[in-house]
């Protein structure tokens, strides 16, 4: 199977297995090859994890079909005997154990994937002072899309609650955004306008309580801003699943800040429809005075780019 | 994924949800592709995103299944407890803690995520509560000072009352949650199980004209009874009662068959009817035969029922319906079709739909409140511990102060106490995540 070569996560062709070419213009080859071998190892582990997941699932299916049969029989009875009740309980408990085991394996596999990704990211931007490559608009937009789609999904175990920064759950008061994470930053542009823009955190100055952030869509040299903590809102790092954690999603008619499609700015909007499935987007109505009723038609915005709106209406 | 329908048992609260595995071949193509590779092969980096999406879909369906199962097990448990099948203190696998075990401070899973998971509702409540407590503390402190010198300060006490009244009125909103509150919520949840009562449509009662006629008859009878009592003692009025009288009056007019419509249809389908009258000379004989047949059929259906010993025609109707449905001849219809002209029924159904929605909403809100209340109780427990350890720390501090005042170095024992109480306090603070 092919592997990507060197830097860049863009689409790649399949390469012959012996293509362990050292990455160009990266840090020293020794660390690169060790990172690559780690990646290779992790991929192998992921592969075996996936197979294990499937084994668990096929084992559990037998029990689930038993449950379905018992349901049918029970539904035909006039009165449900204690025998059936305890039998059903036993079956349910087994099914729960199976499901928990399956969830465990799935979570491990997903963790493995994020591990591989972080190794890759680290390898790519190992040199933190290197200026980021300037990207064309189209490439930037598709990168934003991809980021949104691959945001990890949070599925609560029974009795668990969604953590901070999962969907609509706000961050703790003393949460510090890590360098490299994305935030919405309220910056004053050169003509005095204040806008919420999409930015990436560089560092946090704890003594002054200020963040250094980089506008992801700015020319060389004009991108870095230093802003107080109050002007920074962290973007969610988990997606919430509508089927298990309804309370971690913004409800209908909630006032939010959402990224306008094809731009890198956040604007006020009302939630029109929350997502129905985990990979769905929010449908929002942006406040827009150019429309007769003051709101745009519904537009789709990914979960990653919808945050709570705290400011009062200006203008 | 919703229920396959309720069982025949009217009492059964179970939902019988559909628990099938999702079809990974259809919904997770990249996952399936990986599975189809043999041993010794591996995954490409570019496939990671696709695989991540598929794995998340699977995880989502597993999470949903777990929640549904947990719910069902809880319903089953409650139901069995209600019927007294099992002892109430069994723990379900889902790790639910029964409120009758107040000593335990939450499930094991709760302790660990306690640090990470913030109850966002809890945070605003906590500062308000502490503010309230400090305010009460502040007010109490000056009061204590004043009590020490009563003769001079008595007149000042009444002035503070208004403030006290305010804090007293706010107290119920900021007070600690008790087990009683939890019990109240549980009862509220359980009361929803009786909701199905409201959703039944009662059978049509007597039409009001009949009812009024009956009541009028009763009135007249009473009058008559009074009069006849005066004339002759003890002759009981006709025990038939007004309803009987009215029925006999009506029955003669209609001669209804007591059999239900289905029964009638079935029987008429089975009777061979000579629709076409034969045009032969034998017509006369056949005709007379038909006539005699008709005559025999002219027995009132009621008497026929008595002859055939068919006691309860309503039961017969039901049995026939069920038999036909099972044979597949008649289709199942779950709800009886409502008479379109029946406005009252229509209104009733509309209200029932509203009630259903509101009940579902209430149930959901109560469940959520219950969950939050349980967590809040755990937090409260921790806070209480924190305040006790705070007082211990203050004690130790005061001792040290005292020692310093007396220009004596604090003894080793005091120092050790200080270290110990500080150490004890740390884990509690960590657990509360202040």
């Amino acid at each position: 199977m092919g592997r990507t070569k060197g830097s860049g996560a863009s689409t790649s062709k399949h390469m012959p297995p012996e293509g362990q070419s050292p990455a160009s213009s990266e840090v020293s080859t020794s660390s690169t090859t060790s990172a690559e071998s780690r990646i290779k190892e992790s991929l192998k582990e992921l592969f075996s994890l996936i197979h294990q997941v499937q084994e668990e699932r096929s084992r559990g299916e037998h029990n689930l079909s038993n449950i379905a049969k018992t349901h049918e029989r029970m539904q035909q009875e006039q009165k449900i005997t204690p025998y059936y009740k305890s039998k059903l309980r036993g079956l349910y408990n087994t099914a729960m154990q199976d499901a928990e085991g399956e969830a465990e394996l799935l979570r491990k596999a997903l963790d493995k994937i994020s591990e591989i990704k972080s190794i890759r990211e680290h390898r790519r931007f190992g040199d933190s002072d290197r200026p980021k490559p300037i990207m064309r608009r189209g490439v930037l937009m598709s990168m934003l899309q991809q980021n949104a789609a691959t945001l990890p999904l949070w599925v609560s175990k029974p009795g668990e609650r969604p953590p901070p920064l999962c969907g609509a759950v706000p961050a703790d008061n003393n949460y510090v955004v890590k360098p490299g994470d994305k935030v919405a930053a309220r910056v004053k542009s050169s003509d005095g306008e204040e806008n919420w823009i999409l930015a990436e955190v560089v560092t946090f100055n704890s003594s002054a309580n200020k963040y250094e952030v980089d506008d992801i869509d700015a020319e060389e040299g004009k991108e870095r801003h230093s802003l107080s903590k109050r002007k920074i809102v962290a973007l969610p790092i988990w997606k919430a699943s509508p089927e298990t954690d309804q309370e971690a999603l913004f409800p209908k008619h909630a006032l939010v800040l959402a990224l306008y499609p094809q731009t890198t700015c956040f604007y006020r909007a009302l939630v029109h429809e929350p997502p129905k499935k985990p990979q769905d987007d929010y449908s929002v109505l942006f406040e827009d005075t150019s429309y007769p009723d003051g709101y745009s038609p519904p537009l789709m915005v990914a979960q990653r780019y919808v945050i709570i709106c705290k400011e009062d209406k200006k203008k | 994924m919703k229920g396959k329908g309720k069982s025949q048992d009217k009492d059964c609260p179970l939902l019988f949800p559909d628990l099938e595995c999702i079809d990974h071949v259809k919904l997770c193509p990249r996952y399936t592709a990986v599975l189809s590779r043999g041993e010794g092969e591996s995954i490409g980096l570019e496939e990671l995103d696709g695989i991540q999406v598929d794995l998340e879909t699977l995880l989502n369906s597993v999470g949903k299944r777990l929640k549904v199962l947990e719910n069902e097990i809880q319903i089953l448990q409650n139901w069995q407890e209600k019927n007294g099948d099992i002892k109430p203190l069994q723990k379900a696998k889902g790790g639910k803690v029964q409120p009758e075990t107040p000593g335990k401070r939450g499930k094991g899973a709760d302790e660990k995520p306690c640090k990470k998971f913030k109850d966002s509702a809890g945070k605003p409540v906590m500062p308000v509560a502490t503010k309230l407590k400090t305010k009460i503390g502040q007010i109490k402190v000056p009061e204590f000072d004043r009590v020490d010198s009563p003769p001079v300060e008595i007149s000042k006490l009444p002035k503070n009352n208004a403030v006290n009244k305010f804090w007293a009125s706010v107290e119920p909103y900021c007070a600690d949650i008790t087990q009683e509150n939890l019990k109240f919520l549980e009862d509220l949840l359980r009361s929803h199980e009786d909701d199905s009562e409201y959703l039944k449509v009662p059978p049509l009662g007597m039409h009001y004209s009949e009812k009024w006629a009956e009541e009028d008859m009763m009135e007249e009878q009473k009058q008559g009874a009074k009069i006849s009592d005066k004339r002759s003692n003890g002759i009981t009025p006709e025990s038939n009662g007004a309803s009987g009288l009215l029925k006999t009056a009506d029955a003669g007019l209609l001669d209804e068959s007591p059999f239900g419509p289905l029964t009638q249809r079935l029987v008429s389908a089975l009777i061979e009817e000579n629709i076409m009258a034969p045009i032969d000379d034998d017509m006369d004989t056949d005709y007379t035969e038909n006539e005699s047949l008709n005559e025999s059929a002219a027995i009132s259906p009621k008497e026929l029922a008595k002859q055939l010993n068919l006691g309860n025609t309503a039961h017969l109707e039901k049995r026939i319906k069920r038999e036909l449905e099972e044979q597949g001849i008649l289709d199942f219809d779950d709800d009886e079709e409502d008479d379109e002209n029946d406005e009252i029924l229509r209104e009733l159904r509309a209200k029932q739909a509203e009630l259903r929605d509101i009940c579902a909403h209430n149930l959901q809100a109560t469940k959520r409140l219950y969950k939050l209340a349980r967590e809040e109780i755990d937090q409260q427990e921790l806070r209480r511990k924190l305040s006790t350890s705070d007082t211990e720390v203050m004690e130790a501090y005061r001792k040290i102060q005292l020692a310093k005042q007396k220009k004596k170095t604090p003894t080793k024992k005091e120092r050790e106490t200080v270290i110990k109480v500080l150490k004890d306090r740390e884990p509690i603070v960590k657990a509360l995540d202040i």
Side-chain angles (χ1 to χ4, degrees), chain B residues 72-88:
Chain B
E72 281 289 295
I73 290 182
Q74 188 64 14
I75 294 179
L76 250 185
Q77 212 179 325
N78 285 347
W79 191 27
Q80 283 183 306
E81 276 174 41
K82 214 171 32 161
N83 294 349
D85 285 349
I86 55 162
K87 300 284 180 290

Side-chain angles (χ1 to χ4, degrees), chain A residues 151-254:
Chain A
L151 193 66
L153 178 71
W154 177 267
V155 174
S156 297
K157 303 193 199 133
E160 234 186 4
R161 302 197 56 208
L165 288 187
C166 168
V169 183
D172 300 342
N173 282 341
N174 41 3
Y175 175 75
V176 174
V177 187
K178 302 187 196 43
D181 279 353
K182 301 277 189 300
V183 295
R186 188 155 171 193
V187 298
K188 219 179 185 112
S189 62
S190 39
D191 46 359
E193 278 247 336
E194 284 218 341
N195 271 320
W196 287 93
I197 61 165
L198 183 59
E200 184 178 323
V201 168
V202 179
T203 56
F204 175 61
N205 186 345
S206 45
S207 53
N209 237 16
K210 284 192 162 195
Y211 281 98
E212 296 255 329
V213 298
D214 269 352
D215 188 348
I216 61 170
D217 178 32
E219 312 90 62
E220 232 6 80
K222 274 212 191 164
E223 43 188 45
R224 197 151 290 203
H225 302 273
S226 179
L227 296 165
S228 97
K229 205 167 153 192
R230 280 172 291 124
K231 298 202 167 181
I232 299 283
V233 177
L235 292 184
I237 51 182
W238 300 95
K239 269 198 286 238
S241 162
E243 284 151 348
T244 56
D245 297 301
Q246 192 65 254
E247 70 255 25
L249 290 173
F250 290 106
K252 216 167 168 177
H253 305 305

